[in-house]
Amino acid sequence: MQVHPNKLECHLKFKVAHSTESALLRVYNDLLLTVDSGNIAVLLLLDLSSAFDTVDHQILLHRLKHCVGLRGSVFQWFKSYLENRTFSVHLDQSCSGARPLKYGVPQGSILGPILFILYLLPLGKIFQKFNISFHCFADDIQIYLPLKLQNGTTDSLQLLLNCLAEVKLWMEKNFLHLNESKTQVLLFGQKLQTTNPDQILGSLARSYQTSARNLGFTFDSSLKLHKQVSSVVKSSFYHLRLLAKVKSYFGFKDFERLIHAFITTRLDYCNSLYRGMEKSQIQRLQMIHNAAARLLTGTRKHDHIRPTLASLHWLPVFYRIDFKILLLTFKVLNGLAPPYLRDLLNFQSVSRTLRSNNQLLLTVPRTRLKRKGDRAFSVAAPVLWNNLPFQIRSAHSLDHFKSLLKTHFYSLA
């Protein structure tokens, strides 16, 4: 997976340091900055039908040999893994004869998603040819670009349509099927208030949605994330009610683990995208956190919750968001994050020798809108980072940084 990093990086979100959150954070950052600049952004979520089942083994082997550069024993390992496979159908007491299996990669295996992403390698060149940003996470493909309106229309739309036509042709040649009926299109931008989306999207208007689920996170055209928060609140309270029924069967530590498994993970999933969100939405998430703490400790409804959270060493939701952003920032600056996030952060450079030169400060880009540009990771991360004490910024390891940062936020909370 590390043979040709510049060829693979645009595609691989299924390797160490890559995650759905890092992918969504980059996409969301770009969308916020596009809207902040006064333009409209379009996001397409492409759906592939039975993608893993239609991978042609011979084409995949060709990719591994000529695109990735596998040779010798390593290539033979993959060849033996894919070739001479057979399948048969069992129904009650009947069984069909064995037939050769020339297509598909196992979805439940570790190699399955990786092999599928390598199968998609040439697809990235099509997006790059049309200068369209894209991210692939296994079979989830999302492409996006800014649209500049002129007299209510945009020339960028034709560029996008030409790209989609070429993508569809490439997929047909490689035995993949783009399910156009399940493809979703979202628009973002303040100009949408005075412009008809149908006029902007043309033939893509039939796939237009005001919100859509993207890698388990709900994007909406307003970028306010109300539907995402509502989804988290509904799911979390449902699981809290179930947990309350089984509390008596578990000890304190075991039940706390259940709380973290079913509730905390939902609150923390992609919470780096919550930065700058309306306070009312943060409060809705905090209500879940408070309810989980009360259930765990037996704290009464009208008792003050802050001492309970402090005794559990649980950071409030607001600080958990900042903690996640700063943790990602430290990883970016220390080579522990994907390159597509490293491109967003830069250390301050000055022409004169000043005492602040060695303070590990980041450049803060200029923005127009507090509710848009200021929420982007490339802006929020430097602001939060520069406000940290130098002792924390200069931590020598990830564990040391996390320890110092938690202590710092506990003192603020």
Side-chain angles (χ1 to χ4, degrees):
M1 296 297 287
Q2 306 294 339
V3 179
H4 296 299
N6 17 336
K7 286 185 180 180
L8 306 180
E9 194 55 56
C10 297
H11 298 266
L12 296 185
K13 309 297 178 289
F14 222 89
K15 47 189 284 195
V16 176
H18 294 251
S19 66
T20 54
E21 181 159 8
S22 64
L24 291 177
L25 187 60
R26 177 57 197 255
V27 173
Y28 205 66
N29 176 88
D30 295 347
L31 293 175
L32 286 168
L33 292 181
T34 298
V35 174
D36 185 78
S37 66
N39 293 321
I40 289 177
V42 59
L43 170 68
L44 272 76
L45 306 177
L46 305 181
D47 181 82
L48 301 181
S49 299
S50 304
F52 282 70
D53 298 330
T54 57
V55 171
D56 184 281
H57 292 172
Q58 293 306 312
I59 295 178
L60 176 56
L61 289 172
H62 183 273
R63 299 265 198 278
L64 294 175
K65 188 173 184 178
H66 298 283
C67 296
V68 183
L70 299 186
R71 294 289 189 275
S73 299
V74 177
F75 178 75
Q76 293 302 320
W77 291 341
F78 282 98
K79 188 175 182 180
S80 65
Y81 177 73
L82 293 170
E83 289 187 342
N84 300 320
R85 284 180 173 270
T86 60
F87 75 98
S88 60
V89 179
H90 292 256
L91 182 59
D92 294 331
Q93 303 301 320
S94 302
C95 179
S96 70
R99 295 291 184 271
L101 184 62
K102 300 179 180 180
Y103 303 92
V105 291
Q107 293 192 47
S109 65
I110 296 175
L111 279 178
I114 296 174
L115 290 175
F116 180 76
I117 294 172
L118 294 177
Y119 190 77
L120 293 181
L121 276 178
L123 188 61
K125 295 180 180 179
I126 299 177
F127 295 129
Q128 293 168 352
K129 171 185 173 182
F130 291 93
N131 197 28
I132 292 178
S133 301
F134 70 102
H135 275 264
C136 302
F137 198 100
D139 59 342
D140 291 295
I141 303 174
Q142 45 191 316
I143 62 177
Y144 57 98
L145 77 161
L147 300 177
K148 295 183 179 180
L149 285 180
Q150 294 179 348
N151 299 322
T153 60
T154 173
D155 295 332
S156 305
L157 179 62
Q158 190 57 49
L159 182 74
L160 179 60
L161 293 175
N162 293 341
C163 176
L164 288 176
E166 193 162 329
V167 166
K168 186 177 180 181
L169 182 62
W170 181 88
M171 287 188 174
E172 289 175 353
K173 291 181 178 179
N174 288 271
F175 303 98
L176 297 172
H177 177 64
L178 180 62
N179 191 340
E180 297 184 35
S181 63
K182 291 187 177 181
T183 294
Q184 296 174 300
V185 181
L186 282 82
L187 288 175
F188 308 87
Q190 292 181 307
K191 293 182 181 179
L192 292 176
Q193 299 174 0
T194 57
T195 309
N196 187 350
D198 293 350
Q199 186 178 2
I200 300 173
L201 294 173
S203 59
L204 291 175
R206 64 179 181 274
S207 301
Y208 174 68
Q209 305 283 337
T210 56
S211 65
R213 198 82 166 159
N214 184 10
L215 296 178
F217 192 93
T218 303
F219 278 31
D220 61 82
S221 294
S222 66
L223 295 170
K224 293 181 179 180
L225 301 181
H226 287 185
K227 290 190 175 182
Q228 165 62 19
V229 172
S230 295
S231 175
V232 172
V233 170
K234 181 179 179 180
S235 176
S236 297
F237 276 125
Y238 169 77
H239 283 89
L240 278 175
R241 288 191 293 270
L242 294 180
L243 288 172
K245 296 178 181 180
V246 299
K247 180 183 177 182
S248 59
Y249 297 98
F250 295 92
F252 184 87
K253 287 296 183 182
D254 290 333
F255 194 67
E256 186 177 17
R257 293 190 185 97
L258 286 176
I259 292 287
H260 290 320
F262 287 94
I263 307 302
T264 309
T265 52
R266 285 179 164 80
L267 290 174
D268 287 348
Y269 180 67
C270 291
N271 62 342
S272 57
L273 279 67
Y274 293 152
R275 173 68 181 178
M277 195 168 58
E278 295 172 354
K279 290 183 179 180
S280 60
Q281 300 304 310
I282 299 291
Q283 186 57 37
R284 293 179 68 194
L285 297 175
Q286 186 60 53
M287 287 175 59
I288 300 170
H289 209 220
N290 295 348
R294 293 184 192 279
L295 176 61
L296 175 62
T297 61
T299 304
R300 292 178 299 180
K301 181 178 180 180
H302 298 291
D303 289 345
H304 195 47
I305 195 62
R306 185 169 293 181
T308 303
L309 294 176
S311 67
L312 293 171
H313 297 284
W314 289 8
L315 282 173
V317 169
F318 175 81
Y319 289 108
R320 298 180 78 88
I321 295 170
D322 288 355
F323 182 88
K324 176 69 75 65
I325 293 175
L326 288 168
L327 187 62
L328 288 168
T329 303
F330 182 87
K331 290 181 178 181
V332 167
L333 300 179
N334 289 272
L336 303 173
Y340 56 81
L341 289 185
R342 291 203 291 269
D343 296 340
L344 301 178
L345 302 180
N346 296 289
F347 284 109
Q348 290 183 3
S349 59
V350 291
S351 56
R352 295 181 300 164
T353 302
L354 301 172
R355 285 191 301 173
S356 61
N357 286 7
N358 297 322
Q359 294 298 305
L360 303 176
L361 298 176
L362 296 174
T363 301
V364 181
R366 294 183 178 181
T367 59
R368 294 173 54 248
L369 305 172
K370 182 178 179 180
R371 292 294 183 184
K372 297 297 186 291
D374 285 3
R375 293 173 56 195
F377 177 75
S378 59
V379 179
V383 170
L384 291 172
W385 179 264
N386 293 347
N387 287 330
L388 286 178
F390 176 73
Q391 178 190 8
I392 302 178
R393 295 199 301 269
S394 58
H396 56 77
S397 69
L398 181 61
D399 289 338
H400 187 215
F401 176 79
K402 290 167 68 174
S403 177
L404 293 174
L405 187 59
K406 283 182 180 178
T407 303
H408 175 66
F409 279 146
Y410 283 140
S411 66
L412 295 177

